[in-house]
Every structure is written in C-alpha cells, then in structure tokens.
Amino acid sequence: MKETDRHLSERLEKLGKTLDTHLDEASAKEEPNKTGAMAGLSQAWKMSSEFIAAIFVGGALGWMADSWLGTKPWGMIILLMLGFAAGILNVLREAGKVAPPERRMNSGKKQD
C-alpha cells in the first residue's frame, strides 16, 4: 500500500511539472498579442481624449472670453477653431508625424 502511495505521489508531481511547463508556454505565446492590442487601444483612447479635450478647452475659453469681453459669438468661434487645430496637432505628435516641440527647438542648435 505504501509503495502505491509513493508511486501516485511521484506521478502527481510529474503531472504538475508538465502542466506548469505547458501553461508557461501557452501564456508566453498569448501575452505579446494581448499586450500589443492593449497598447494600441490605450494609445487610441489617449489620442481621442486629447483631441476632444483640446476642442472643449478652446470652446470653454471662447465662451469665457465672449462673456467677459461681450464679443459673442466671435471669441468662441475663433478659440473653438484654435482648439480644433491644437487637437489635430496633438494627435499628429502622438502618432509621430510631427516632431515634439522640444526636438524641433533643439534641432536648430549646433552641437559641439
């Protein structure tokens, strides 16, 4: 009876190690796909929220300027368009199509 228990314990340990190996291999294959998809989704949410926020900020500043200066609706129209342009610029910077301002400013300086 004791021999049977020991034999079953050895088989159980061997099975556990085999399962751990297979699970590690399976998770290693699946993780890059999930990480890549989640990174892309994260970047899309960031870009869209920055674009929408720029438009809202431009509209809010225009509304406040119109209320303070009494220039309705011109302040809101102008600042809303500027917010739209700023949102597009933010999206292009995030996508890598336009250099960030720090890199553009430093590119004109000569290096020693």
Side-chain angles (χ1 to χ4, degrees):
M1 177 101 174
K2 197 119 177 151
E3 183 67 32
T4 307
D5 289 340
R6 189 171 51 96
H7 179 66
L8 289 176
S9 296
E10 288 174 1
R11 287 182 59 194
L12 183 61
E13 286 179 28
K14 184 178 176 184
L15 179 61
K17 288 178 185 177
T18 306
L19 283 174
D20 287 341
T21 305
H22 286 292
L23 288 174
D24 290 342
E25 290 173 1
S27 65
K29 289 179 183 177
E30 291 178 11
E31 270 187 43
N33 294 336
K34 289 181 181 178
T35 304
M38 293 306 285
L41 184 61
S42 171
Q43 186 176 14
W45 276 106
K46 180 182 177 187
M47 290 169 68
S48 63
S49 64
E50 284 182 0
F51 179 68
I52 292 169
I55 294 172
F56 279 134
V57 168
L61 289 175
W63 179 75
M64 288 188 324
D66 281 341
S67 297
W68 186 52
L69 300 172
T71 58
K72 289 184 183 170
W74 296 108
M76 185 165 181
I77 292 171
I78 291 170
L79 288 174
L80 192 63
M81 287 193 298
L82 285 175
F84 184 78
I88 290 175
L89 185 61
N90 285 341
V91 168
L92 289 175
R93 280 184 187 152
E94 186 66 31
K97 302 294 182 187
V98 176
E102 302 86 29
R103 200 167 76 198
R104 281 194 315 239
M105 290 175 65
N106 293 334
S107 67
K109 296 179 183 176
K110 291 185 179 180
Q111 295 181 358
D112 295 327

PDB file of all heavy atoms in Angstrom, residues 62 66 71-78:
ATOM      1  N   GLY A  62     -13.288  80.306 -25.240  1.00  0.00           N
ATOM      2  CA  GLY A  62     -14.004  81.244 -26.111  1.00  0.00           C
ATOM      3  C   GLY A  62     -15.279  81.749 -25.474  1.00  0.00           C
ATOM      4  O   GLY A  62     -15.608  82.941 -25.560  1.00  0.00           O
ATOM      5  N   ASP A  66     -15.979  85.590 -24.520  1.00  0.00           N
ATOM      6  CA  ASP A  66     -17.174  86.279 -25.006  1.00  0.00           C
ATOM      7  C   ASP A  66     -17.972  86.876 -23.854  1.00  0.00           C
ATOM      8  O   ASP A  66     -18.489  87.999 -23.971  1.00  0.00           O
ATOM      9  CB  ASP A  66     -18.069  85.319 -25.798  1.00  0.00           C
ATOM     10  CG  ASP A  66     -17.570  85.102 -27.210  1.00  0.00           C
ATOM     11  OD1 ASP A  66     -16.788  85.929 -27.695  1.00  0.00           O
ATOM     12  OD2 ASP A  66     -17.969  84.085 -27.816  1.00  0.00           O
ATOM     13  N   THR A  71     -18.153  89.935 -26.844  1.00  0.00           N
ATOM     14  CA  THR A  71     -17.929  89.800 -28.287  1.00  0.00           C
ATOM     15  C   THR A  71     -18.642  88.593 -28.874  1.00  0.00           C
ATOM     16  O   THR A  71     -18.162  88.015 -29.843  1.00  0.00           O
ATOM     17  CB  THR A  71     -16.420  89.672 -28.566  1.00  0.00           C
ATOM     18  OG1 THR A  71     -15.920  88.551 -27.845  1.00  0.00           O
ATOM     19  CG2 THR A  71     -15.672  90.916 -28.199  1.00  0.00           C
ATOM     20  N   LYS A  72     -19.773  88.209 -28.315  1.00  0.00           N
ATOM     21  CA  LYS A  72     -20.459  86.995 -28.765  1.00  0.00           C
ATOM     22  C   LYS A  72     -20.744  87.059 -30.248  1.00  0.00           C
ATOM     23  O   LYS A  72     -21.138  88.094 -30.741  1.00  0.00           O
ATOM     24  CB  LYS A  72     -21.762  86.814 -27.983  1.00  0.00           C
ATOM     25  CG  LYS A  72     -21.503  86.437 -26.559  1.00  0.00           C
ATOM     26  CD  LYS A  72     -22.786  86.175 -25.826  1.00  0.00           C
ATOM     27  CE  LYS A  72     -22.421  85.875 -24.383  1.00  0.00           C
ATOM     28  NZ  LYS A  72     -23.526  85.816 -23.517  1.00  0.00           N
ATOM     29  N   PRO A  73     -20.589  86.040 -30.987  1.00  0.00           N
ATOM     30  CA  PRO A  73     -20.044  84.701 -30.803  1.00  0.00           C
ATOM     31  C   PRO A  73     -18.610  84.566 -31.294  1.00  0.00           C
ATOM     32  O   PRO A  73     -18.107  83.468 -31.433  1.00  0.00           O
ATOM     33  CB  PRO A  73     -20.960  83.855 -31.651  1.00  0.00           C
ATOM     34  CG  PRO A  73     -21.231  84.684 -32.848  1.00  0.00           C
ATOM     35  CD  PRO A  73     -21.313  86.095 -32.283  1.00  0.00           C
ATOM     36  N   TRP A  74     -17.939  85.680 -31.607  1.00  0.00           N
ATOM     37  CA  TRP A  74     -16.640  85.615 -32.289  1.00  0.00           C
ATOM     38  C   TRP A  74     -15.536  84.978 -31.445  1.00  0.00           C
ATOM     39  O   TRP A  74     -14.713  84.224 -31.973  1.00  0.00           O
ATOM     40  CB  TRP A  74     -16.226  87.008 -32.771  1.00  0.00           C
ATOM     41  CG  TRP A  74     -17.204  87.495 -33.790  1.00  0.00           C
ATOM     42  CD1 TRP A  74     -18.131  88.475 -33.638  1.00  0.00           C
ATOM     43  CD2 TRP A  74     -17.398  86.948 -35.087  1.00  0.00           C
ATOM     44  NE1 TRP A  74     -18.896  88.588 -34.773  1.00  0.00           N
ATOM     45  CE2 TRP A  74     -18.466  87.663 -35.678  1.00  0.00           C
ATOM     46  CE3 TRP A  74     -16.799  85.934 -35.814  1.00  0.00           C
ATOM     47  CZ2 TRP A  74     -18.921  87.377 -36.958  1.00  0.00           C
ATOM     48  CZ3 TRP A  74     -17.248  85.661 -37.084  1.00  0.00           C
ATOM     49  CH2 TRP A  74     -18.295  86.391 -37.645  1.00  0.00           C
ATOM     50  N   GLY A  75     -15.478  85.273 -30.195  1.00  0.00           N
ATOM     51  CA  GLY A  75     -14.436  84.670 -29.354  1.00  0.00           C
ATOM     52  C   GLY A  75     -14.556  83.162 -29.305  1.00  0.00           C
ATOM     53  O   GLY A  75     -13.557  82.440 -29.396  1.00  0.00           O
ATOM     54  N   MET A  76     -15.796  82.690 -29.186  1.00  0.00           N
ATOM     55  CA  MET A  76     -15.993  81.240 -29.124  1.00  0.00           C
ATOM     56  C   MET A  76     -15.658  80.588 -30.456  1.00  0.00           C
ATOM     57  O   MET A  76     -15.034  79.523 -30.490  1.00  0.00           O
ATOM     58  CB  MET A  76     -17.424  80.911 -28.726  1.00  0.00           C
ATOM     59  CG  MET A  76     -17.644  79.443 -28.529  1.00  0.00           C
ATOM     60  SD  MET A  76     -19.169  79.168 -27.657  1.00  0.00           S
ATOM     61  CE  MET A  76     -19.171  77.418 -27.550  1.00  0.00           C
ATOM     62  N   ILE A  77     -16.052  81.212 -31.549  1.00  0.00           N
ATOM     63  CA  ILE A  77     -15.767  80.641 -32.872  1.00  0.00           C
ATOM     64  C   ILE A  77     -14.259  80.554 -33.098  1.00  0.00           C
ATOM     65  O   ILE A  77     -13.735  79.509 -33.498  1.00  0.00           O
ATOM     66  CB  ILE A  77     -16.448  81.472 -33.983  1.00  0.00           C
ATOM     67  CG1 ILE A  77     -17.965  81.314 -33.899  1.00  0.00           C
ATOM     68  CG2 ILE A  77     -15.935  81.061 -35.360  1.00  0.00           C
ATOM     69  CD1 ILE A  77     -18.741  82.245 -34.806  1.00  0.00           C
ATOM     70  N   ILE A  78     -13.551  81.631 -32.808  1.00  0.00           N
ATOM     71  CA  ILE A  78     -12.103  81.660 -33.058  1.00  0.00           C
ATOM     72  C   ILE A  78     -11.369  80.681 -32.146  1.00  0.00           C
ATOM     73  O   ILE A  78     -10.527  79.894 -32.601  1.00  0.00           O
ATOM     74  CB  ILE A  78     -11.565  83.097 -32.888  1.00  0.00           C
ATOM     75  CG1 ILE A  78     -12.100  83.967 -34.029  1.00  0.00           C
ATOM     76  CG2 ILE A  78     -10.042  83.112 -32.864  1.00  0.00           C
ATOM     77  CD1 ILE A  78     -11.855  85.438 -33.852  1.00  0.00           C
TER      78      ILE A  78
END
